[in-house]
Amino acid sequence: MAIFHLSVKIISRSSGRSAIAAAAYRAGEKLKNEEKGGKVHDFSRKKGVVYSEIQLPENAPNEYKDRQTLWNKVQEVEKRADAQLAREVEVALPQELDRKKQIELAHDYIQKQFVNKGMIADWSIHDKGDGNPHAHIMLTTRSLKKDGSWASKQKSTYLLDENGEKVPQIDPKTGKQKIGARGRKMWKRTTVAYNDWNNRDNVELWRSEWAKQVNRYIEPSKKIDNRSYKRQGIAKMPTIHEGYAAREIEKRGGNSDRAEINRTIKKINLTENNIMILLDKIERIKIGRKQLKKLRERAIKAFIKIIRDKKRQYQLFKQKIDRWEEQLNEQFNRPSKQNDGRKRETSSEDTAITKGIGEKGGRNQGIPDRITESDLEQQAVEIEQREIDEIAKRQRLSRSNGTEKTIRRERKTNTGREKRNQYYRDYTKPKGRGM
């Protein structure tokens, strides 16, 4: 799994270190230290050095491609006893990448962040097969001029005010700007670094750019972050750097204090992680319960609304039924008007009968004042009998019509047969040749 690691160190003469010895160890080579009277630093038997390269800026002489020439020249230029000989940047390479990709990753990063800014970079990849591939990058601390010579580490320049204007030197006697030789105005000067490579902000920049460069080569799920757990907002305790010595003790079966501290930290982090998982589950359960309660309340409100709507519909339907019943009752209970207000057409016979009855029995004599139920039943029977007679008459007519059609059809068929038989009886064969 890819991990983030980028550390920056200074190789200085005040700590008794040598740039030649450091370069020989990291490259796994045999180099001669001219500053120490020709002392040889031989690390050619060192295992795990899988790749080495020197990258030069545009204005650097080609002779600096030779590792021994480069660092002997650096030690020659840096004359102070406390001089900074080189800056070392150590980075962890993602073990998910093959060797070709690891070299490409480191080369591009070094070119963009260091070489393009004027530094000479001497770097090597170490990998002992223990899952810890890493690169050591040695950088020069002094700039090169355009002609390829070494520049000074500091330079004098004019002191500028807040507006970027030069600050004049004031004569305390006159209160005016001093005038130097040949009538030139005098300005305040200050000493500044020749480059900004020692700026502490560069370390943060290099760390963030290394994380971005690595993340371009690995999967999104395995991305690394240069920020600490605290800056990322992660409640997790960071482990400490174990170092080569601690890992060697562990390999021999010993118990390293630093390795033991890391094991304890991992256990604490695992416990905290489990606690956070449980708290997260509890929070999810609480949220789920709140959502369930809201859903239950919404369901109850919807159910109550449905019941009210159904009740309203039932009341409206019942009102309609009640109105229909009232209307029917009114129709049944309404008194019927005699003859329904229509004029009755009478024949001469009826008129005569009516007159005769009137003469005999007086007014309305012989005509019942009220029709009884037996009269209605008798009339219904008579109407039904007339309908039955009418239906029987129609059936007889249809049967008679069918019989006449059958007879006509048979007559037509018999006539055709007789004509055909007569034709065959009257037929005689014609006399002629060959007959």
Side-chain angles (χ1 to χ4, degrees):
M1 181 178 177
I3 60 171
F4 178 84
H5 172 71
L6 188 147
S7 61
V8 181
K9 304 173 185 176
I10 294 294
I11 299 173
S12 63
R13 187 177 279 128
S14 61
S15 60
R17 301 184 67 182
S18 166
I20 286 285
Y25 175 80
R26 281 148 187 77
E29 293 184 0
K30 181 180 178 181
L31 300 179
K32 185 179 180 180
N33 191 346
E34 296 178 359
E35 187 182 56
K36 297 291 184 179
K39 182 180 179 180
V40 175
H41 301 278
D42 187 3
F43 293 96
S44 57
R45 295 183 181 180
K46 176 177 173 56
K47 298 179 180 179
V49 180
V50 296
Y51 183 81
S52 294
E53 183 181 354
I54 296 177
Q55 293 176 231
L56 302 177
E58 294 180 354
N59 54 338
N62 287 331
E63 63 180 1
Y64 290 164
K65 278 283 187 182
D66 180 69
R67 187 167 283 107
Q68 182 172 282
T69 303
L70 170 64
W71 294 112
N72 273 311
K73 194 66 177 177
V74 167
Q75 291 187 154
E76 181 183 343
V77 175
E78 303 295 345
K79 301 184 181 297
R80 292 173 58 94
D82 58 350
Q84 294 181 351
L85 303 175
R87 178 179 289 105
E88 182 187 14
V89 178
E90 182 180 332
V91 294
L93 298 171
Q95 57 184 340
E96 291 86 354
L97 302 180
D98 56 22
R99 188 71 64 217
K100 184 178 179 181
K101 288 292 183 181
Q102 289 176 348
I103 294 172
E104 180 183 343
L105 166 65
H107 182 279
D108 293 346
Y109 173 73
I110 292 168
Q111 185 68 36
K112 293 176 183 177
Q113 300 302 321
F114 307 124
V115 179
N116 289 347
K117 296 178 181 179
M119 305 180 203
I120 298 175
D122 177 9
W123 60 283
S124 302
I125 294 178
H126 293 183
D127 188 1
K128 295 181 179 180
D130 56 355
N132 183 32
H134 57 278
H136 294 272
I137 308 166
M138 287 184 63
L139 304 168
T140 55
T141 58
R142 188 182 291 265
S143 299
L144 289 168
K145 296 179 181 178
K146 293 182 180 180
D147 60 356
S149 61
W150 296 99
S152 60
K153 287 189 175 181
Q154 293 181 340
K155 61 181 180 179
S156 178
T157 185
Y158 290 110
L159 182 65
L160 304 178
D161 59 11
E162 296 178 354
N163 299 323
E165 301 291 336
K166 292 186 291 185
V167 179
Q169 291 187 19
I170 304 299
D171 189 351
K173 293 181 180 180
T174 62
K176 298 181 180 180
Q177 186 176 1
K178 289 183 179 181
I179 304 297
R182 299 179 184 179
R184 294 179 179 178
K185 294 181 179 181
M186 300 182 67
W187 307 90
K188 289 184 179 181
R189 300 184 69 87
T190 184
T191 302
V192 295
Y194 194 88
N195 54 54
D196 63 346
W197 300 347
N198 285 332
N199 191 338
R200 292 182 177 273
D201 295 336
N202 285 332
V203 178
E204 182 64 24
L205 174 65
W206 296 338
R207 287 170 64 85
S208 63
E209 290 299 322
W210 174 249
K212 292 177 183 177
Q213 186 75 4
V214 171
N215 290 335
R216 293 190 189 102
Y217 283 79
I218 61 177
E219 299 176 3
S221 59
K222 298 180 181 180
K223 285 186 176 182
I224 60 175
D225 199 320
N226 62 294
R227 297 172 299 170
S228 64
Y229 289 145
K230 185 177 181 180
R231 290 172 60 189
Q232 294 180 52
I234 299 175
K236 193 175 182 180
M237 186 182 297
T239 56
I240 63 173
H241 180 67
E242 294 179 357
Y244 175 76
R247 288 194 293 271
E248 286 295 320
I249 293 173
E250 293 287 324
K251 285 182 181 178
R252 293 194 296 266
N255 191 8
S256 170
D257 293 339
R258 300 184 72 84
E260 185 64 30
I261 290 171
N262 279 343
R263 282 192 286 269
T264 304
I265 291 173
K266 289 177 181 178
K267 289 180 181 179
I268 293 171
N269 287 337
L270 182 61
T271 304
E272 290 181 353
N273 186 43
N274 293 334
I275 292 172
M276 293 302 295
I277 291 172
L278 289 174
L279 291 175
D280 185 56
K281 287 183 178 179
I282 292 170
E283 190 65 25
R284 289 181 181 178
I285 291 171
K286 289 181 179 178
I287 294 171
R289 286 182 176 176
K290 289 180 180 178
Q291 293 177 350
L292 186 62
K293 185 178 180 181
K294 290 181 180 178
L295 289 173
R296 189 183 291 112
E297 291 175 355
R298 289 172 60 185
I300 292 171
K301 289 180 180 177
F303 185 68
I304 292 171
K305 184 179 179 182
I306 292 170
I307 292 173
R308 288 175 179 173
D309 292 342
K310 293 293 182 182
K311 186 176 180 181
R312 222 175 276 118
Q313 292 176 3
Y314 172 75
Q315 290 174 352
L316 293 173
F317 181 72
K318 188 177 180 183
Q319 290 174 2
K320 288 183 179 180
I321 294 294
D322 293 340
R323 285 198 298 269
W324 292 342
E325 288 180 354
E326 291 175 0
Q327 291 174 3
L328 291 174
N329 290 331
E330 289 178 1
Q331 290 179 2
F332 283 122
N333 296 329
R334 186 186 301 166
S336 61
K337 294 181 179 180
Q338 193 171 1
N339 294 332
D340 199 19
R342 290 175 292 181
K343 292 182 179 180
R344 182 173 179 269
E345 295 180 358
T346 57
S347 61
S348 59
E349 185 179 353
D350 294 334
T351 305
I353 293 170
T354 306
K355 286 182 179 181
I357 294 171
E359 290 177 355
K360 293 180 180 180
R363 187 180 181 184
N364 294 334
Q365 228 177 16
I367 299 174
D369 295 332
R370 185 177 180 183
I371 300 173
T372 61
E373 291 183 1
S374 60
D375 296 335
L376 293 174
E377 291 178 359
Q378 185 177 358
Q379 290 179 6
V381 171
E382 291 176 356
I383 292 169
E384 186 177 357
Q385 186 62 37
R386 284 198 300 270
E387 289 179 354
I388 293 171
D389 295 341
E390 186 68 24
I391 292 169
K393 184 178 179 181
R394 290 176 183 174
Q395 289 177 352
R396 286 195 300 270
L397 289 173
S398 62
R399 281 198 297 271
S400 63
N401 292 335
T403 304
E404 290 177 357
K405 288 180 181 179
T406 304
I407 292 170
R408 284 198 299 270
R409 194 181 301 112
E410 289 179 355
R411 285 178 181 175
K412 188 175 181 181
T413 304
N414 294 334
T415 305
R417 286 176 183 174
E418 289 176 359
K419 288 182 180 180
R420 190 167 53 255
N421 293 335
Q422 185 66 31
Y423 170 77
Y424 284 120
R425 283 195 298 269
D426 297 342
Y427 176 77
T428 56
K429 293 182 181 180
K431 295 180 181 180
R433 189 179 297 175
M435 297 300 291

